[in-house]
Coordinates of all heavy atoms in Angstrom, one line a residue:
M263 N 28.0 70.2 -63.5 CA 26.7 69.7 -63.8 C 25.7 70.7 -63.2 O 26.0 71.5 -62.4 CB 26.5 68.4 -63.2 CG 27.2 67.3 -63.9 SD 26.3 65.7 -63.6 CE 27.1 64.7 -64.8
N264 N 24.5 70.5 -63.7 CA 23.4 71.4 -63.2 C 23.0 71.0 -61.8 O 22.7 69.9 -61.5 CB 22.2 71.2 -64.2 CG 21.2 72.3 -63.9 OD1 21.2 73.1 -63.0 ND2 20.2 72.3 -64.8
E265 N 23.0 72.0 -60.9 CA 22.8 71.7 -59.5 C 21.3 71.3 -59.2 O 21.0 70.7 -58.2 CB 23.2 72.9 -58.6 CG 24.7 73.1 -58.6 CD 25.4 71.9 -58.0 OE1 24.9 71.3 -57.0 OE2 26.5 71.6 -58.5
T266 N 20.4 71.7 -60.1 CA 18.9 71.5 -59.9 C 18.6 70.0 -60.1 O 17.7 69.5 -59.5 CB 18.1 72.3 -60.8 OG1 18.4 72.0 -62.1 CG2 18.2 73.8 -60.5
I267 N 19.5 69.3 -60.8 CA 19.3 67.8 -61.0 C 19.5 67.1 -59.7 O 18.8 66.1 -59.4 CB 20.2 67.3 -62.1 CG1 19.8 67.9 -63.4 CG2 20.1 65.8 -62.1 CD1 20.8 67.5 -64.5
F268 N 20.4 67.5 -58.9 CA 20.7 66.8 -57.6 C 20.1 67.6 -56.4 O 20.8 67.8 -55.4 CB 22.2 66.7 -57.5 CG 22.9 66.0 -58.6 CD1 23.6 66.6 -59.6 CD2 22.7 64.6 -58.7 CE1 24.2 65.9 -60.6 CE2 23.3 63.9 -59.7 CZ 24.0 64.5 -60.7
S269 N 18.9 67.9 -56.5 CA 18.2 68.6 -55.4 C 18.0 67.6 -54.3 O 18.0 66.4 -54.4 CB 16.9 69.2 -55.9 OG 16.0 68.2 -56.1
P270 N 17.7 68.1 -53.1 CA 17.5 67.2 -51.9 C 16.2 66.4 -52.1 O 16.0 65.4 -51.3 CB 17.3 68.2 -50.7 CG 17.8 69.5 -51.2 CD 17.8 69.5 -52.7
L271 N 15.4 66.7 -53.0 CA 14.1 65.9 -53.2 C 14.4 64.6 -53.9 O 13.6 63.6 -53.8 CB 13.1 66.7 -54.0 CG 11.7 66.2 -54.2 CD1 11.1 66.0 -52.8 CD2 10.9 67.1 -55.0
W272 N 15.4 64.4 -54.7 CA 15.7 63.2 -55.4 C 15.9 61.9 -54.6 O 15.3 60.9 -55.0 CB 16.9 63.4 -56.4 CG 16.5 64.1 -57.6 CD1 16.8 65.4 -57.9 CD2 15.7 63.7 -58.7 NE1 16.3 65.8 -59.1 CE2 15.6 64.7 -59.6 CE3 15.1 62.4 -58.9 CZ2 14.9 64.6 -60.8 CZ3 14.4 62.3 -60.1 CH2 14.3 63.3 -61.0
P273 N 16.5 62.0 -53.5 CA 16.6 60.7 -52.7 C 15.2 60.3 -52.2 O 14.9 59.1 -52.2 CB 17.5 61.1 -51.5 CG 18.3 62.2 -52.0 CD 17.5 62.9 -52.9
T274 N 14.4 61.2 -51.9 CA 13.0 60.9 -51.4 C 12.2 60.3 -52.6 O 11.6 59.2 -52.4 CB 12.3 62.1 -50.9 OG1 13.1 62.7 -49.8 CG2 10.9 61.8 -50.4
L275 N 12.3 60.9 -53.8 CA 11.6 60.4 -54.9 C 12.1 59.0 -55.3 O 11.3 58.1 -55.8 CB 11.7 61.4 -56.1 CG 10.9 62.7 -55.9 CD1 11.2 63.6 -57.1 CD2 9.4 62.4 -55.7
L276 N 13.4 58.8 -55.2 CA 14.0 57.5 -55.6 C 13.5 56.4 -54.7 O 13.1 55.3 -55.1 CB 15.5 57.6 -55.6 CG 16.3 56.4 -55.9 CD1 16.0 56.0 -57.4 CD2 17.8 56.6 -55.7
A277 N 13.5 56.7 -53.4 CA 13.0 55.7 -52.4 C 11.6 55.4 -52.6 O 11.2 54.2 -52.6 CB 13.3 56.2 -51.0
M278 N 10.7 56.4 -52.8 CA 9.3 56.2 -53.0 C 9.1 55.4 -54.3 O 8.2 54.6 -54.3 CB 8.6 57.5 -53.0 CG 8.5 58.2 -51.6 SD 7.8 59.8 -51.6 CE 6.1 59.5 -52.1
G279 N 9.8 55.8 -55.3 CA 9.6 55.1 -56.6 C 10.0 53.6 -56.5 O 9.3 52.8 -57.1
N280 N 11.1 53.3 -55.9 CA 11.5 51.9 -55.7 C 10.5 51.1 -54.9 O 10.1 50.0 -55.3 CB 12.9 51.8 -55.1 CG 14.0 52.2 -56.1 OD1 13.8 52.1 -57.3 ND2 15.1 52.6 -55.5
F281 N 10.0 51.7 -53.8 CA 9.0 51.0 -53.0 C 7.7 50.8 -53.8 O 7.1 49.7 -53.7 CB 8.7 51.8 -51.7 CG 7.8 51.1 -50.8 CD1 8.2 50.1 -50.0 CD2 6.5 51.5 -50.7 CE1 7.4 49.5 -49.1 CE2 5.6 50.8 -49.8 CZ 6.1 49.8 -49.0
A282 N 7.3 51.8 -54.5 CA 6.0 51.7 -55.3 C 6.2 50.6 -56.4 O 5.3 49.8 -56.7 CB 5.7 53.0 -55.9
L283 N 7.4 50.5 -57.1 CA 7.6 49.6 -58.1 C 7.5 48.1 -57.5 O 6.9 47.3 -58.1 CB 8.9 49.8 -58.8 CG 9.3 48.8 -59.9 CD1 8.4 49.0 -61.1 CD2 10.7 49.0 -60.3
V284 N 8.2 47.9 -56.5 CA 8.2 46.6 -55.9 C 6.8 46.2 -55.4 O 6.4 45.1 -55.5 CB 9.3 46.5 -54.7 CG1 9.1 45.2 -53.9 CG2 10.7 46.6 -55.3
G285 N 6.1 47.2 -54.8 CA 4.8 46.9 -54.3 C 3.8 46.6 -55.4 O 2.9 45.8 -55.3
A286 N 4.0 47.3 -56.6 CA 3.1 47.1 -57.7 C 3.3 45.8 -58.4 O 2.4 45.1 -58.9 CB 3.2 48.2 -58.6
I287 N 4.6 45.3 -58.4 CA 4.9 44.1 -59.1 C 4.5 42.8 -58.4 O 4.0 41.9 -58.9 CB 6.4 44.0 -59.4 CG1 6.8 45.1 -60.5 CG2 6.9 42.7 -59.9 CD1 8.2 45.3 -60.7
T288 N 4.7 42.9 -57.0 CA 4.4 41.7 -56.3 C 2.9 41.6 -55.9 O 2.3 42.5 -55.5 CB 5.2 41.7 -54.9 OG1 4.8 42.9 -54.2 CG2 6.7 41.6 -55.2
P289 N 2.3 40.4 -56.1 CA 0.9 40.3 -55.8 C 0.8 40.2 -54.2 O 1.6 39.5 -53.6 CB 0.5 39.0 -56.4 CG 1.7 38.2 -56.6 CD 2.9 39.2 -56.7
G290 N -0.2 40.8 -53.7 CA -0.4 40.8 -52.3 C -1.8 40.7 -51.9 O -2.7 40.4 -52.8
P291 N -2.2 40.7 -50.7 CA -3.6 40.5 -50.3 C -4.5 41.6 -50.8 O -5.7 41.3 -51.1 CB -3.5 40.6 -48.7 CG -2.2 41.2 -48.4 CD -1.3 41.0 -49.6
V292 N -4.1 42.8 -51.0 CA -4.9 43.8 -51.5 C -5.3 43.5 -53.0 O -6.5 43.6 -53.3 CB -4.3 45.2 -51.5 CG1 -5.1 46.3 -52.2 CG2 -4.0 45.6 -50.0
N293 N -4.4 43.0 -53.8 CA -4.7 42.7 -55.1 C -5.7 41.5 -55.2 O -6.6 41.5 -56.0 CB -3.4 42.3 -55.9 CG -2.5 43.5 -56.1 OD1 -2.9 44.6 -55.9 ND2 -1.3 43.2 -56.4
V294 N -5.5 40.5 -54.3 CA -6.3 39.3 -54.3 C -7.7 39.7 -53.9 O -8.7 39.3 -54.5 CB -5.7 38.2 -53.4 CG1 -6.7 37.1 -53.2 CG2 -4.4 37.7 -54.0
L295 N -7.8 40.5 -52.8 CA -9.2 41.0 -52.4 C -9.9 41.9 -53.4 O -11.1 41.8 -53.5 CB -9.0 41.7 -51.0 CG -8.8 40.8 -49.8 CD1 -8.5 41.6 -48.6 CD2 -9.9 39.8 -49.6
A296 N -9.1 42.7 -54.1 CA -9.7 43.5 -55.1 C -10.3 42.6 -56.3 O -11.4 42.9 -56.8 CB -8.7 44.5 -55.7
L297 N -9.5 41.6 -56.6 CA -10.0 40.7 -57.6 C -11.3 40.0 -57.2 O -12.3 39.8 -57.9 CB -8.9 39.7 -58.0 CG -9.3 38.6 -59.0 CD1 -9.5 39.2 -60.3 CD2 -8.1 37.6 -59.1
R298 N -11.3 39.5 -55.9 CA -12.5 38.8 -55.4 C -13.7 39.8 -55.3 O -14.8 39.4 -55.7 CB -12.2 38.3 -54.0 CG -13.3 37.4 -53.4 CD -13.0 37.0 -52.0 NE -13.2 38.1 -51.1 CZ -14.4 38.4 -50.5 NH1 -15.4 37.6 -50.7 NH2 -14.5 39.4 -49.6
H299 N -13.5 41.0 -54.8 CA -14.6 41.9 -54.8 C -15.2 42.3 -56.1 O -16.4 42.4 -56.3 CB -14.2 43.2 -54.0 CG -14.2 43.1 -52.6 ND1 -15.4 43.2 -51.8 CD2 -13.2 43.0 -51.6 CE1 -15.1 43.1 -50.6 NE2 -13.8 42.9 -50.4
G300 N -14.3 42.4 -57.1 CA -14.7 42.8 -58.4 C -15.4 41.7 -59.2 O -16.3 41.9 -60.0
S301 N -15.0 40.4 -58.8 CA -15.7 39.3 -59.6 C -16.9 38.8 -58.9 O -17.8 38.2 -59.6 CB -14.7 38.2 -59.7 OG -14.4 37.7 -58.4
Q302 N -17.1 39.0 -57.6 CA -18.3 38.4 -56.9 C -19.4 39.4 -56.6 O -20.5 39.0 -56.3 CB -17.8 37.8 -55.6 CG -17.0 36.5 -55.8 CD -16.6 35.9 -54.5 OE1 -16.8 36.5 -53.4 NE2 -16.0 34.7 -54.6
R303 N -19.1 40.7 -56.6 CA -20.1 41.7 -56.3 C -20.2 42.7 -57.4 O -19.6 42.7 -58.4 CB -19.6 42.4 -55.0 CG -19.5 41.5 -53.8 CD -19.2 42.3 -52.6 NE -19.1 41.4 -51.4 CZ -18.6 41.7 -50.3 NH1 -18.0 42.9 -50.1 NH2 -18.5 40.8 -49.3
A304 N -21.2 43.6 -57.2 CA -21.4 44.6 -58.2 C -20.2 45.6 -58.2 O -19.4 45.6 -57.3 CB -22.7 45.4 -57.8
C305 N -20.2 46.4 -59.2 CA -19.0 47.3 -59.4 C -19.0 48.4 -58.3 O -17.9 48.7 -57.9 CB -19.1 47.9 -60.7 SG -17.7 48.9 -61.2
Q306 N -20.1 48.9 -57.8 CA -20.1 50.0 -56.9 C -19.5 49.6 -55.5 O -18.6 50.4 -55.1 CB -21.6 50.5 -56.7 CG -21.7 51.8 -56.1 CD -21.2 52.9 -57.1 OE1 -21.0 52.7 -58.3 NE2 -21.0 54.1 -56.6
P307 N -19.8 48.5 -54.9 CA -19.1 48.2 -53.6 C -17.6 47.9 -53.8 O -16.8 48.2 -53.0 CB -19.9 46.9 -53.1 CG -21.2 46.9 -53.8 CD -20.9 47.6 -55.1
A308 N -17.3 47.2 -54.9 CA -15.9 46.9 -55.2 C -15.1 48.2 -55.4 O -13.9 48.3 -55.0 CB -15.8 46.0 -56.4
L309 N -15.7 49.2 -56.0 CA -15.0 50.4 -56.3 C -14.6 51.1 -55.0 O -13.5 51.7 -54.9 CB -15.9 51.4 -57.1 CG -15.3 52.7 -57.6 CD1 -14.1 52.4 -58.5 CD2 -16.3 53.5 -58.3
G310 N -15.5 51.1 -54.0 CA -15.2 51.7 -52.7 C -14.0 51.0 -52.0 O -13.1 51.7 -51.4
Y311 N -14.0 49.7 -52.1 CA -12.9 48.9 -51.5 C -11.5 49.3 -52.2 O -10.5 49.5 -51.6 CB -13.1 47.5 -51.6 CG -12.0 46.6 -51.1 CD1 -11.7 46.5 -49.8 CD2 -11.1 46.1 -52.0 CE1 -10.6 45.8 -49.3 CE2 -10.0 45.3 -51.6 CZ -9.8 45.2 -50.3 OH -8.7 44.5 -49.8
V312 N -11.6 49.3 -53.6 CA -10.4 49.5 -54.3 C -9.9 51.0 -54.1 O -8.7 51.2 -54.0 CB -10.6 49.2 -55.8 CG1 -9.4 49.7 -56.7 CG2 -10.8 47.8 -56.0
L313 N -10.8 51.9 -54.0 CA -10.4 53.3 -53.7 C -9.7 53.4 -52.4 O -8.7 54.1 -52.2 CB -11.6 54.2 -53.8 CG -11.3 55.7 -53.6 CD1 -10.4 56.3 -54.7 CD2 -12.6 56.5 -53.6
G314 N -10.3 52.8 -51.4 CA -9.7 52.8 -50.0 C -8.4 52.1 -50.0 O -7.4 52.7 -49.3
A315 N -8.2 51.0 -50.7 CA -7.0 50.3 -50.7 C -5.9 51.1 -51.4 O -4.7 51.2 -51.0 CB -7.1 49.0 -51.3
S316 N -6.3 51.8 -52.5 CA -5.3 52.6 -53.2 C -4.9 53.8 -52.4 O -3.7 54.2 -52.5 CB -6.0 53.1 -54.5 OG -6.3 52.0 -55.3
L317 N -5.8 54.5 -51.7 CA -5.4 55.6 -50.9 C -4.5 55.2 -49.8 O -3.5 55.9 -49.5 CB -6.6 56.4 -50.4 CG -7.5 57.1 -51.5 CD1 -8.7 57.6 -50.8 CD2 -6.7 58.2 -52.1
S318 N -4.8 54.1 -49.1 CA -4.0 53.7 -48.0 C -2.6 53.2 -48.5 O -1.6 53.4 -47.9 CB -4.6 52.6 -47.2 OG -4.9 51.4 -48.1
Y319 N -2.5 52.6 -49.7 CA -1.2 52.2 -50.3 C -0.4 53.4 -50.6 O 0.8 53.4 -50.4 CB -1.4 51.4 -51.5 CG -0.2 50.9 -52.2 CD1 0.6 50.0 -51.6 CD2 0.3 51.5 -53.4 CE1 1.8 49.5 -52.1 CE2 1.5 51.1 -53.9 CZ 2.2 50.1 -53.3 OH 3.4 49.7 -53.9
G320 N -1.1 54.5 -51.1 CA -0.3 55.7 -51.4 C 0.2 56.3 -50.1 O 1.3 56.9 -50.1
A321 N -0.5 56.2 -49.0 CA 0.0 56.7 -47.7 C 1.1 55.9 -47.2 O 2.1 56.5 -46.7 CB -1.2 56.7 -46.7
V322 N 1.1 54.6 -47.4 CA 2.3 53.8 -47.0 C 3.5 54.1 -47.9 O 4.6 54.2 -47.3 CB 1.9 52.3 -47.1 CG1 3.1 51.4 -47.0 CG2 0.8 51.9 -46.1
V323 N 3.3 54.3 -49.2 CA 4.4 54.6 -50.0 C 5.0 55.9 -49.6 O 6.3 56.1 -49.5 CB 4.0 54.6 -51.5 CG1 5.1 55.3 -52.4 CG2 3.7 53.2 -52.0
A324 N 4.2 56.9 -49.3 CA 4.7 58.2 -48.9 C 5.5 58.1 -47.6 O 6.6 58.7 -47.4 CB 3.5 59.2 -48.8
C325 N 4.9 57.4 -46.6 CA 5.6 57.3 -45.3 C 6.9 56.5 -45.5 O 7.9 56.9 -44.9 CB 4.7 56.5 -44.3 SG 3.3 57.5 -43.8
M326 N 7.0 55.5 -46.3 CA 8.2 54.7 -46.4 C 9.2 55.6 -47.2 O 10.4 55.5 -46.9 CB 7.9 53.4 -47.2 CG 7.2 52.4 -46.4 SD 7.9 52.0 -44.8 CE 9.4 51.2 -45.4
G327 N 8.8 56.3 -48.2 CA 9.7 57.2 -48.9 C 10.3 58.2 -48.1 O 11.5 58.5 -48.1
L328 N 9.5 58.9 -47.2 CA 10.0 59.9 -46.4 C 10.9 59.4 -45.3 O 11.8 60.0 -44.8 CB 8.8 60.7 -45.8 CG 8.0 61.5 -46.8 CD1 6.8 62.1 -46.1 CD2 8.9 62.6 -47.4
A329 N 10.6 58.2 -44.8 CA 11.4 57.6 -43.7 C 12.7 57.0 -44.2 O 13.7 57.0 -43.5 CB 10.6 56.5 -43.0
S330 N 12.8 56.6 -45.5 CA 14.0 56.0 -46.0 C 14.9 57.0 -46.7 O 16.0 56.7 -47.1 CB 13.7 54.8 -46.9 OG 12.9 55.2 -48.0
A331 N 14.4 58.2 -46.9 CA 15.2 59.2 -47.6 C 16.5 59.6 -46.9 O 17.5 59.7 -47.5 CB 14.4 60.5 -47.9
P332 N 16.5 59.7 -45.5 CA 17.7 60.0 -44.8 C 18.7 58.8 -45.0 O 20.0 59.1 -44.9 CB 17.3 60.1 -43.4 CG 15.9 60.5 -43.4 CD 15.3 59.8 -44.6
L333 N 18.3 57.6 -45.2 CA 19.2 56.5 -45.3 C 20.0 56.6 -46.7 O 21.1 56.1 -46.8 CB 18.5 55.2 -45.3 CG 17.8 54.9 -43.9 CD1 17.0 53.6 -44.0 CD2 18.9 54.7 -42.8
L334 N 19.3 57.1 -47.7 CA 19.9 57.2 -49.0 C 20.9 58.4 -49.1 O 21.7 58.5 -50.0 CB 18.9 57.4 -50.1 CG 18.0 56.1 -50.3 CD1 17.0 56.4 -51.3 CD2 18.9 55.0 -50.8
Q335 N 20.8 59.4 -48.2 CA 21.6 60.6 -48.3 C 23.0 60.4 -47.7 O 23.4 59.7 -46.9 CB 21.0 61.7 -47.6 CG 19.8 62.2 -48.3 CD 19.1 63.4 -47.7 OE1 19.3 63.7 -46.5 NE2 18.2 64.1 -48.4

């Protein structure tokens, strides 16, 4: 088989992808607060909240993927 398919990056991407999928499917406090901000306030303040929540969620996904990659290897 082609050795580039099984590069050392694949376990990290697999772990990050699984964590992101489970996190996106399950409703959590960030989704509920984003819905509340978007429905009760103007779009501009809600956009800042949603942007901050999205960036922090991306950081959590990256940290969890990098931390769980050695477990998959």
Side-chain angles (χ1 to χ4, degrees):
M263 289 203 167
N264 192 353
E265 292 297 323
T266 59
I267 293 174
F268 300 106
S269 71
L271 186 61
W272 279 106
T274 303
L275 292 176
L276 180 64
M278 290 173 66
N280 286 335
F281 184 79
L283 178 67
V284 170
I287 291 173
T288 57
V292 172
N293 294 345
V294 173
L295 286 174
L297 178 65
R298 185 184 76 91
H299 277 283
S301 65
Q302 291 182 351
R303 297 185 179 162
C305 187
Q306 199 69 14
L309 183 63
Y311 175 78
V312 171
L313 181 64
S316 298
L317 291 175
S318 62
Y319 180 71
V322 168
V323 169
C325 289
M326 291 302 295
L328 292 173
S330 62
L333 297 174
L334 291 175
Q335 290 180 345

